[in-house]
Amino acid sequence: MAASVVGGAFLSSFLNVLFDRLSDPEIINMMRGKKVDQKLLQKLKTILNVVEAVLNDAEKKQITDSAVKRWLEDLQDAVYDADDLLDEVATKAATQKDPPGLKFNVRAWVCVGEEFDVLKVTKTVIEEITTSPCDMNSLNSAQQHLRSKLTGMKFLVVLDDFWSNNYTAWANFLIPFRCGSEGSKILVTTRSEKIANMVKGFHYQAYNLSALNDEDCWVVFANHAFLSGERLAFEKVAREIVKKCKGLPLAAQALGSLLRSKDNEKDWKNVLNSEIWEFSEEEIEIIPALRISYYHLPSHLKRCFVYCSLYPKDYEFDRDELVLLWMAEGLLQQPRGGSTLEEVGYEYFSDLASRSFFQPSHNAYETSFVMHDLMHDLATFYGEKFYFRTFEVKNVLKHDIKTRHLSYVLHNKDSVSKILEVCDSLKHARTLLQVNLDAYHEFSEGVVVPCDLLEQLKCLRVLSFKIFSDDENLLHRSIGELIHLCYLDLSDTSMVTLPESLSCLYNLQTLKLRNCRNLKKLPSKMQNLVNLRHLDIFGSISVEEMPKKMSKLKDLQFLSDYIAGKHEENGFVELGELAHLHGSFCLKKLENVKNSVEASNARMDEKIHLNALELWWSSFEKSEVCDSQSEKDVLDKLRPHKDLKMLSLWGYRGTMFPDWVGQCSYHNMTSLEMRGCRNCWVLPSLGQLPALTRLEISGFDMVKKIGGSFYKGDGTHQHQETPFRSLKSLHFDDMRCWEEWESYECDDDDDAPFPKLETLEIWDCPKLRGDLPTFLPSLKSLHIRGCEEIGCYLPRAPMIRSLIISGKQEARMRELPLSMLERLWVNGEQQVEYVFEAMTHTQPTSLKELGISNCSSAISFPGDALPPSLKQLRINNCKNVEFPMQHQQHHSLTSLQIDNSFDSLRSFALPAFPTLCLLRMARCENLTSLEVSQSQSLLYLTISGCPKLENIIRLPASLSALRIFECPLLGEVIERKDPHIWPSISHIPEIYVDRRRIGNDSTS
């Protein structure tokens, strides 16, 4: 057939679906029952065969022949209609048979795109730098915050794919970047000479990236084509292909990826001699090399690739999510050889990625990918009339009547009216997909979708309504009439119940109900959803139990949570039948499991595709009586398979753990959490888990001692490996009765446990005396807090970078590697004195953060100066420490916080800290006046609890916020705008006295 030539036309796989349906005996019988003319059916098959034979040629000619293009679009429109009809027939047939069921301190990379919103881009830079959400809605506040992060820092900020030539917006955006240290860079990439000239106008240099020369382009191509060994025979043809790439790296990469799997020279020559090279790039606006890459895709991959045109440029695709959507749209071929539909989808995705249609995202998630803008243009070109992004056009009526797939973004109530406008004229739409452009966006309350919307869209396969309120109005009984629906996402909605008619969605494969916090229960007849493969109720904390007879969902591949019920019909017998679960899985309300026989019905050891398991018992009162042996037996029967990677145990009620917890046969286990096991009096033996890298232990109220069995099961060395040989992170928390951590005896440091431990945290263990491990060769961070009784030596840690000891305890230090430390917080006279003494002998050249507290000794900084690398200094309850007066400017300090310290301070002139952004002074009881004139970058000044302070003088022009609390003398003169002080502070945008804002008459 023509479909087998080269890659296969876009419609070929679609037609193959129709052929399969027309050959399905159930559909044929159904049509006979409706007295459909069988000769007509045969004639339709013949016509489709003829059409398929010319599709491949037509797909090439559509680029230059508008008549062929129109014919293809009309054909695709008709095929969609035919597929809708046959899908309806197939559903009815099935449901009648089976009733339904460089070295820089700060780096940020931002993809700007076509719209340059100064606030949005500024917030994105902040989020990149801080790795946390920025919820500021004021540009002034955001820029002040960004300035505080950049002041004195050497930064690199990349603004990728810049298109806006708005000079004013660009000038405003640059304001907070002027405070960085020498060598800071802003790199802008653009395809517009006009943009380059605008940026260059700000005294920056423009670099015109010309096309790669033939040799460099050849290197890119050969790298992706794996041109080595016997394939070197193709070099002559390959070099001719590279010349046609015209030095464009993406073209060379795409064609190299395409030819990677071609071992026949004829295939290479076909690419070289393709007539697609001759099509005018000016007319088509798509680079010929990319069109060739698309042309050579197999038909099924073409449809999957074009589907991505529903998303905006620079979108970060989640591979798993995209596969579920492809599956719902019928874009995946039926699996063979025992694989699943999801695995077919992953294979498709990997194939597209290997051909450079997707590229890994720069974020940390393995399943996150992006698409190059030129590839996105390619997908949009081929999706043209059938795929429509409603959020990118002002006039939604511009869509084509052939459109079947719609995506939308929810910004406000106008977004809803725009959706309604489009849907009103598209009765045959298959997709209504909500796209989240902002990962941190939370939609406001009160958005209501008219309940008749779904009644108009009877052909939907994919429906996504997230973050809506009043959802019962949206999901009335008409949801059950969407008989084609395969994918439904109602995450983050405020609904309390789901309509029972949802159980009539026979074809539903994916149901997402994440973070529906008000949802009380699932539909009672969910067992009718026999094609359901993915059910996600993560974060829907109010769901009380599972529906009955979940065992009928034989195809279920992913189930986020199973909440054990008190009845047999929603208990563990039902769970046991769900044999194909993949990924992560959480079992909740395990207190409802009566005994080990019931627990064994779950058949957890047979669920071999799970990689993460959470076992949760609800919280219980201390007065509750638990049968410890029964609890242990239940957990024993919940033993998972040996290849599990992550295990969490929450609220286990037994006094001891069964033997499987910690067995070395769990050779792939990398993460283990044990929390709230308040009856346990001994920890299990965990030291021989060979791959364990992360261990968290919390809320073991009865444990008094951690001894040798924690490291090795029998307490001996025979035939045992180094304990915790792979562990990198260890966290203890809320261990109220823990008194002793017994040292592990070994002959030399090479045999000591925790050889790779990088992070050790011990929090809120008030009775722990010691001992801590003596030697931790890889430790980088040690944090101890709320452990008042610790009096032992801290571990020797030659690689340590961060040491935080807070709360009242007397842990002793030795061999502190000051030259390595970047962060140091210590508490108490012994520790503070030790640190200051050590600083007189060793210069802390890397120290960036220093905090000292609760020291009454009279001590001073060595040389009357701060460490030169210091950026943040916090001093609490150190009344006799002398503040360093700095004989020369200190160019690193950005944050200074002083609380109940420096009793000798009367009139305080802050030394020269030219990069200081934040100053907080609290409870300086003898302070009468404050001068900060030498800190010309100061943004935030907060003063509290200084009863004698009556004057602040020469405040810098940079200051944006002044807050005064419990300073009666100073507060009074500011509130009445005393002429001796008001002129020097009136320029500050925000002034507060005891939480009351003081207005500036000139601006109010």
Side-chain angles (χ1 to χ4, degrees), residues 844-857:
T845 53
S846 301
L847 195 62
K848 294 180 173 63
E849 292 183 40
L850 175 62
I852 60 173
S853 59
N854 297 310
C855 177
S856 58
S857 301

Side-chain angles (χ1 to χ4, degrees), residues 687-688 710-712 721-726 744 751-755:
Q688 293 303 304
F710 180 58
Y711 301 94
K712 299 189 175 184
E721 299 286 345
T722 299
F724 298 103
R725 57 188 178 275
S726 301
Y744 179 80
D751 297 325
F754 311 112

Side-chain angles (χ1 to χ4, degrees), residues 485-488 502 505-511 529 531-532:
L485 197 63
C486 296
Y487 177 103
L488 179 59
L502 191 142
L505 300 177
Y506 175 81
N507 288 309
L508 195 65
Q509 298 169 331
T510 298
L511 178 57
L529 300 177
N531 288 305
L532 196 66

Side-chain angles (χ1 to χ4, degrees), residues 553-612:
L553 305 181
K554 302 291 186 185
D555 287 338
L556 206 58
Q557 303 290 310
F558 176 83
L559 176 61
S560 64
D561 304 78
Y562 189 94
I563 304 156
K566 297 180 179 180
H567 310 288
E568 186 174 340
E569 288 184 318
N570 62 2
F572 270 22
V573 174
E574 298 298 309
L575 175 60
E577 296 297 316
L578 303 179
H580 306 298
L581 297 180
H582 286 66
S584 59
F585 178 54
C586 180
L587 265 174
K588 292 184 176 178
K589 293 195 177 180
L590 288 171
E591 68 275 8
N592 288 337
V593 181
K594 299 180 183 66
N595 50 53
S596 61
V597 174
E598 186 176 339
S600 65
N601 289 332
R603 293 155 56 184
M604 294 304 299
D605 58 337
E606 298 177 22
K607 302 186 191 316
I608 59 174
H609 301 296
L610 292 178
N611 56 43

Side-chain angles (χ1 to χ4, degrees), residues 807-808 826-830 832 852-857 876-878:
K808 296 179 180 179
V826 290
N827 177 78
E829 291 184 23
Q830 181 183 9
V832 174
I852 60 173
S853 59
N854 297 310
C855 177
S856 58
S857 301
N876 297 342
N877 299 316
C878 296

Side-chain angles (χ1 to χ4, degrees), residues 225-424:
F226 293 160
L227 207 62
S228 59
E230 295 180 359
R231 294 162 68 86
L232 286 172
F234 305 155
E235 181 171 345
K236 184 177 179 181
V237 179
R239 286 191 177 274
E240 291 300 316
I241 292 172
V242 168
K243 285 181 182 178
K244 293 197 171 191
C245 291
K246 297 181 180 178
L248 185 69
L250 182 63
Q253 179 182 339
L255 289 182
S257 300
L258 164 67
L259 292 169
R260 178 189 302 170
S261 58
K262 308 289 186 183
D263 293 323
N264 189 323
E265 188 174 9
K266 182 181 177 183
D267 294 327
W268 291 59
K269 288 182 176 178
N270 284 341
V271 170
L272 174 63
N273 299 320
S274 171
E275 61 191 66
I276 293 176
W277 292 111
E278 308 307 320
F279 300 152
S280 167
E281 187 176 328
E282 286 71 25
E283 291 176 15
I284 308 304
E285 297 182 348
I286 301 294
I287 296 166
L290 302 188
R291 293 203 301 269
I292 289 176
S293 295
Y294 172 81
Y295 178 65
H296 283 262
L297 280 178
S299 176
H300 58 274
L301 291 187
K302 285 179 177 173
R303 295 182 69 200
C304 291
F305 168 64
V306 170
Y307 190 83
C308 298
S309 67
L310 278 176
Y311 294 87
K313 286 184 177 179
D314 308 316
Y315 188 81
E316 292 208 359
F317 293 90
D318 180 78
R319 181 202 62 183
D320 298 347
E321 173 68 10
L322 194 55
V323 165
L324 292 176
L325 290 167
W326 287 346
M327 183 169 68
E329 301 281 7
L331 306 184
L332 305 181
Q333 296 170 324
Q334 287 302 309
R336 298 174 183 173
S339 59
T340 65
L341 263 175
E342 290 80 1
E343 288 167 341
V344 171
Y346 298 148
E347 186 180 330
Y348 283 15
F349 193 95
S350 297
D351 204 346
L352 285 168
S354 71
R355 298 166 186 254
S356 301
F357 286 87
F358 290 109
Q359 299 168 349
S361 168
H362 71 287
N363 74 24
Y365 299 104
E366 290 183 7
T367 61
S368 187
F369 290 78
V370 293
M371 182 178 285
H372 193 284
D373 279 3
L374 296 177
M375 285 296 187
H376 188 274
D377 291 342
L378 185 69
T380 301
F381 175 79
Y382 284 107
E384 196 176 13
K385 293 184 182 298
F386 296 93
Y387 292 81
F388 184 61
R389 301 186 292 271
T390 64
F391 48 89
E392 290 186 1
V393 292
K394 291 182 179 177
N395 181 8
V396 293
L397 297 179
K398 287 184 178 179
H399 69 272
D400 195 281
I401 58 171
K402 295 182 175 68
T403 299
R404 292 304 199 283
H405 307 281
L406 296 158
S407 59
Y408 70 95
V409 172
L410 207 58
H411 288 310
N412 48 40
K413 294 180 182 180
D414 291 338
S415 307
V416 178
S417 60
K418 186 182 279 192
I419 299 165
L420 295 173
E421 254 186 280
V422 177
C423 293
D424 192 50

